[in-house]
Amino acid sequence: MVSNKNRLYIALYPSGATGDVTPEERQYRWGFLVGPKAEKSKEVPGTRYHVKNSIVTGWNYEELSLRDVQNTTTLLARLLIAKIEDDERLKEVFRTTPFVQNDPNWRCRTWVEQVLARIISDGGIVGTSQLDWRAIEQTGRDLEHA
């Protein structure tokens, strides 16, 4: 039994959208970070999993190795949501959760919510966890006002 299982985080980044014209749900970019339990060194390697929208290519999935999962470029918040039991099944969920092109209402937060639903449905990918999307989203938004 592995005692130093990786951890799953929700990551919030600024969306780049401006001011009051942006609805509240579009103020952030949402994604996932995976890193080790032990974070004793200055730089802790990990991985970011997210979808991003490009004017040229539309929505794309990205899996990026990070030198330091604790502090990525423009990271606003990192919320611990789960202890990972099966890293490979989690990666498969990230890689196979579809994204929708040409739907103005579909966003990265939609993908994050769908990933969480698939993790819950699987039942064996994570152990101790908080996977309720509404609670996670509210906690992330509350951090802005803290």
Side-chain angles (χ1 to χ4, degrees), residues 62-82:
E62 183 176 73
E63 192 171 309
L64 183 64
S65 293
L66 304 169
R67 273 188 18 207
D68 187 7
V69 74
Q70 301 171 99
N71 188 19
T72 66
T73 305
T74 71
L75 180 66
L76 296 173
R78 181 178 71 135
L79 309 173
L80 176 62
I81 61 167

Side-chain angles (χ1 to χ4, degrees), residues 6-10 78-83 129-130 136:
N6 282 334
R7 300 305 193 245
L8 177 62
Y9 301 88
I10 292 286
R78 181 178 71 135
L79 309 173
L80 176 62
I81 61 167
K83 181 190 302 184
S129 61
Q130 167 51 275
I136 293 167

Side-chain angles (χ1 to χ4, degrees), residues 11-30 74 76-77 107-109 137-138 140-145:
L12 276 81
Y13 300 91
S15 70
T18 57
D20 296 333
V21 296
T22 304
E24 183 174 301
E25 68 269 8
R26 295 182 188 219
Q27 290 179 344
Y28 303 106
R29 288 185 302 120
W30 300 80
T74 71
L76 296 173
R107 297 178 294 286
C108 56
R109 67 186 285 283
E137 184 179 34
Q138 189 59 54
R141 292 185 189 289
D142 288 347
L143 290 173
E144 176 186 27
H145 306 292

Side-chain angles (χ1 to χ4, degrees), residues 35-109:
K37 174 184 178 180
E39 294 187 341
K40 295 179 180 172
S41 62
K42 193 172 188 175
E43 287 185 347
V44 177
T47 308
R48 176 173 50 212
Y49 303 88
H50 69 129
V51 293
K52 60 183 185 174
N53 196 5
S54 163
I55 294 171
V56 176
T57 59
W59 287 101
N60 296 286
Y61 169 76
E62 183 176 73
E63 192 171 309
L64 183 64
S65 293
L66 304 169
R67 273 188 18 207
D68 187 7
V69 74
Q70 301 171 99
N71 188 19
T72 66
T73 305
T74 71
L75 180 66
L76 296 173
R78 181 178 71 135
L79 309 173
L80 176 62
I81 61 167
K83 181 190 302 184
I84 301 169
E85 297 291 331
D86 191 325
D87 287 283
E88 291 308 312
R89 278 177 31 210
L90 178 60
K91 287 178 194 175
E92 186 64 20
V93 166
F94 289 144
R95 292 171 180 162
T96 61
T97 299
F99 42 90
V100 177
Q101 305 291 355
N102 303 316
D103 178 350
N105 295 316
W106 196 92
R107 297 178 294 286
C108 56
R109 67 186 285 283

